[in-house]
Each structure stands twice: as C-alpha cells, then as structure tokens.
Amino acid sequence: MVKRVAVILSGCGVYDGTEIHEASAVLVHLSRAGAKVQMFAPNADQMHTVNHCEGKPTEEKRNILQESARIARGAVTDLAKLDVAAFDAAIIPGGFGVAKNLSDWAVKGKEYTIQPDVEKLIKAFHKAGKPLGMCCISPVLAAKALPGCELTVGQDKECEKWPYAGTASVMKEMGCKHVNKNVGEAHVDVKNKLVTTCAFMCNAPYHEVFDGVGAMVKEVLKLA
C-alpha cells in the first residue's frame, strides 16, 4: 500500500528557509520507498532574507511559499490547505526557516511559539496516531507541541558548540527527553510516533547526513 506523506517546507536556504540538502534527502528517500509526496509551506512573509554568501540579512522581502516552490519544483501548496486525513505521515526538514518562519525560536529561544498552522498540523497528526518525522532543528516544534516527548538533535556536547548552541539543554528544561544519537541514526519515540535525527546539527559529511535522514524516513514509513 502506497504511503502518503506531507513534507513541510519553510523557504529555500539554510539561513532563512529550509536546508536544501535535508529536503532533497527526504524527497530522495521517500521516492525510493515508493511514497506519494505532497509539499506544503505557509503563505506568509519570511522573517527576513539572508545573503547566503555573507550570512547577513538584506532589505529584500520574500514569501515562504514562493521560496519553498524552488525546492518543490513549483509543486507546493499553502499549508493552510493541508488535510491531515489525506496523509499517513508528515516530515519537516530543518534549516533556520524552522526557527524563523515556522516558529520564533531564533528570536525568543525557550519562550518561543509555533506558527499556528504548523502547531495545528503537528497536534492533528499526533491525535490521529500518524507519525511525524523531524530533522536538524525541527524537533523544537515537537518539543513545544508535544510536551514530554522524546527526541534527538544529536550529541549534547556537540550541540552546545554548533550554531544551534544550547538546543539540547533547552529541550530538557522543557521536560523532553533528549537522546544522544550519531548523525547516521534516528530516534523513535514510540509513544508519540515521533522520529527525529540530527542532520546538520552535527558537523558531519553530507553523505552521513543523507544516511541519517534516510534512517528517519525509514522509521516514519514503518510507523505509517
């Protein structure tokens, strides 16, 4: 039976949107597994636009849905139109867009909130007993929407040194169980049907990130 998976994007580019390599890895692994995929993104302005050569914000304004269409080859739908009943699972790749466009984690840290449509879909998939896959920084969405869940953003010590410093510690402070995993591994929270992997939260080679995302996708499809 073909599994139907919703993939949630947050723009295009690691510093202000979806991490492109993570999104590509998700799509390749889903395609190889024969899953039917539909991509979604909020139809709203990005928090800001970053010049990826310099790593600095510009004056330019960009739309999350339009930017996500770059990854989706045009085939992306407004997140507000996502019908949970039409899917068996949902996966959210990482990138700073998760922390800036799908939530305000990048600005508020522990006091962050999730974009309403994103929080709604996470809770709806969870209530329906349908699995969720998240990689890199996107597990922070689950930490807020599914209190007490188990997740991984990699190794505690490495996460303290990398660009998302302190993430694992904050997840623990919020009451979540953080599980140390290597980049090629995924953690399965059986109770919540939540599958997470660290991806670029660790300073790892591209192929190892690709393999870790594959482990996450495999476990999500098992649960679907």
Side-chain angles (χ1 to χ4, degrees):
M1 187 174 177
V2 175
K3 304 292 176 66
R4 304 159 299 169
V5 182
V7 175
I8 314 304
L9 304 177
S10 59
C12 180
V14 60
Y15 297 129
D16 58 13
T18 298
E19 211 297 318
I20 297 170
H21 300 287
E22 292 175 16
S24 178
V26 166
L27 296 172
V28 169
H29 287 294
L30 286 173
S31 176
R32 183 170 286 147
K36 182 178 180 181
V37 175
Q38 186 172 349
M39 285 172 268
F40 295 86
N43 186 7
D45 288 339
Q46 296 182 173
M47 186 186 101
H48 62 190
T49 298
V50 173
N51 178 328
H52 278 60
C53 289
E54 300 177 354
K56 297 177 181 178
T58 69
E59 296 297 320
E60 186 179 2
K61 289 187 179 294
R62 295 194 181 189
N63 177 276
I64 304 168
L65 184 65
Q66 291 176 14
E67 287 299 290
S68 297
R70 295 175 181 272
I71 294 174
R73 296 173 61 85
V76 64
T77 303
D78 185 343
L79 184 61
K81 298 179 181 179
L82 191 157
D83 178 9
V84 174
F87 296 93
D88 301 302
I91 293 178
I92 308 178
F96 276 97
V98 170
K100 295 177 177 180
N101 303 329
L102 302 189
S103 72
D104 52 15
W105 165 270
V107 178
K108 297 184 178 179
K110 186 179 177 180
E111 305 304 318
Y112 70 113
T113 58
I114 306 176
Q115 197 263 6
D117 284 335
V118 177
E119 185 170 22
K120 179 181 176 182
L121 84 87
I122 292 173
K123 290 182 175 180
F125 271 89
H126 181 259
K127 184 177 180 180
K130 297 179 178 182
L132 293 154
M134 302 183 189
C135 62
C136 195
I137 192 64
S138 64
V140 302
L141 302 175
K144 177 69 75 170
L146 307 175
C149 65
E150 298 178 6
L151 50 79
T152 188
V153 288
Q155 299 287 334
D156 291 340
K157 292 182 179 179
E158 186 160 4
C159 289
E160 299 306 315
K161 295 184 291 184
W162 211 237
Y164 302 106
T167 303
S169 297
V170 174
M171 298 299 95
K172 292 176 184 177
E173 290 174 18
M174 292 174 64
C176 296
K177 179 181 178 181
H178 181 260
V179 182
N180 285 326
K181 289 287 185 177
N182 294 321
V183 66
E185 300 175 312
H187 177 69
V188 181
D189 178 346
V190 177
K191 178 181 177 181
N192 291 297
K193 290 192 175 182
L194 172 67
V195 186
T196 52
T197 189
C198 63
F200 284 107
M201 289 288 281
C202 292
N203 186 16
Y206 284 70
H207 71 281
E208 291 184 7
V209 172
F210 182 88
D211 291 344
V213 171
M216 176 193 69
V217 169
K218 181 179 179 180
E219 294 298 333
V220 167
L221 294 178
K222 277 185 187 178
L223 294 170

